[in-house]
Amino acid sequence: MPELFEDDGPSIRLTADELCALAEAREKLNKPVSRGVVVVMLALAAWLLYNAVRLDQLWIRIGQAWTLGVIVYLFGPALRPRRRDGISEPCAQFLVGQHEERQRGYREFRHRLLLFIPGIAASCWGGGPEAAAKARGLDPASWLYHFLAGPGPFVVAVATLGLVWFAFGKAAEKAGRDRDEVTGLMAHSR
């Protein structure tokens, strides 16, 4: 079996068979991940749609509907997994394409993450967290009720979006490094 990467120092040695096994594992992973995304997206969509239809407060309904639209916009295209073009596409090229798609997808998701802010703002401005506190029977004198009635939920949601923004940036960098590693393996195999 030909070695794809050979170096004098410490290195990772992958054979063509191992690289193909890695590509096949990536293809197999795409199926359950896509199914998981569908299940989570449908559950979230059902919950947001229920809130958008059943709640009385207009701003909360608008916020929930906006968030539902953003979720469908963001995750809808992710449901189409990339398939390898049969045996005509080399395993290494498939992996490079997978890493490029992941990197592009992470960057696009990161940039579109800001679309959640109007929905969160509308729900918070409409009193969504306070209405949820009342529905759960929280004591109006408790610290949690005061937190939910104030700007706390909006600040927490925006801070969480900031962390997700950072995480997707790091994931895009890793996908780029993975792509460069496979491209390096391809270059050394020639």
Side-chain angles (χ1 to χ4, degrees), residues 12 16 20 26 39 45 48 54 65 93 104 141 144 150 162-163 177:
I12 300 172
C20 284
R26 172 73 64 185
V39 168
L48 290 168
R54 299 288 284 168
Q93 192 59 40
R104 185 174 35 257
L144 184 56
L163 289 173
R177 286 192 307 271

Side-chain angles (χ1 to χ4, degrees), residues 72-89:
V72 169
Y73 173 69
L74 287 178
F75 292 106
L79 301 178
R80 290 176 283 135
R82 181 181 184 265
R83 299 256 185 243
R84 195 161 39 128
D85 298 333
I87 52 176
S88 64
E89 183 181 17

Side-chain angles (χ1 to χ4, degrees), residues 21 28 34 67 72 90 92 103 105 115 130 145 148 182:
K28 288 179 185 176
S34 294
T67 304
V72 169
Q103 184 179 29
L115 292 173
E130 185 176 10
Y145 185 90
L148 293 172
V182 173

Side-chain angles (χ1 to χ4, degrees), residues 94-122:
F94 171 76
L95 287 173
V96 168
Q98 283 281 299
H99 293 311
E100 286 174 351
E101 283 183 26
R102 278 184 31 233
Q103 184 179 29
R104 185 174 35 257
Y106 291 148
R107 286 181 178 161
E108 287 175 5
F109 186 84
R110 184 179 187 215
H111 290 241
R112 295 173 181 168
L113 198 59
L114 299 175
L115 292 173
F116 281 109
I117 293 175
I120 294 168

